[in-house]
Amino acid sequence: MKRLLFQLCSVICCVVLFTSCEQEDVIIDNIQYINSPNCCLSMYKASWNGSTLKIDEGGYITFKTKITGTLLLDCEGAVKIYQNGKKIHHTDVSEYRRITIKHIPANAIIKIKAPYDSYTYTSFVSDIAINSNTGNSNTGTSTPNSGFDF
């Protein structure tokens, strides 16, 4: 009986530990915020300082989208952005800029990478979010409130 009780307690502890390692998503008002290591599936040569991500040359983070929407982020330095392994955005200018990529589906794996051939060696990224509300406001498209940019 003691052995059965011990095995049951061991299984319960393993389940609790396993579920505590899951990706921690912050979704508020239909916006998924990626603002810490807990929101990432994987990281390499990357570190967080508050909500700012520092990615060294060749480093990256990956995360999974939980909602469909527009990927928004602020960036300084070169970055490449992939969706499910396919490159969807690339910039190699070291100036600060706002990046907006529409039509990101839910359950996509997004990778933000600092390329090996970057001029800046380190990229800084902040305010990473998937916003499903972008179709409800004028986002610079020719048809306001359409949710599409074509």
Side-chain angles (χ1 to χ4, degrees), residues 34-137:
I34 310 300
N35 55 12
S36 75
N38 294 334
C39 299
C40 299
L41 296 173
S42 63
M43 291 177 27
Y44 175 70
K45 294 173 69 175
S47 59
W48 291 87
N49 179 8
S51 64
T52 300
L53 171 66
K54 175 186 170 192
I55 308 175
D56 292 327
E57 184 180 32
Y60 62 84
I61 66 160
T62 61
F63 62 91
K64 186 173 185 176
T65 61
K66 298 295 183 184
I67 58 177
T68 299
T70 299
L71 173 63
L72 305 165
L73 57 96
D74 293 332
C75 178
E76 183 176 344
V79 294
K80 293 181 181 180
I81 301 174
Y82 298 83
Q83 175 184 311
N84 297 328
K86 180 182 175 188
K87 185 167 54 171
I88 59 173
H89 185 79
H90 171 92
T91 182
D92 59 1
V93 180
S94 62
E95 298 171 356
Y96 172 84
R97 75 199 130 308
R98 179 76 168 168
I99 297 173
T100 302
I101 303 171
K102 296 186 177 192
H103 311 296
I104 302 294
N107 299 314
I109 303 297
I110 302 296
K111 181 179 197 176
I112 300 174
K113 180 178 182 186
Y116 285 108
D117 56 350
S118 70
Y119 298 105
T120 57
Y121 298 108
T122 300
S123 299
F124 296 92
V125 183
S126 62
D127 299 323
I128 307 169
I130 303 292
N131 187 344
S132 68
N133 295 326
T134 55
N136 298 329
S137 64

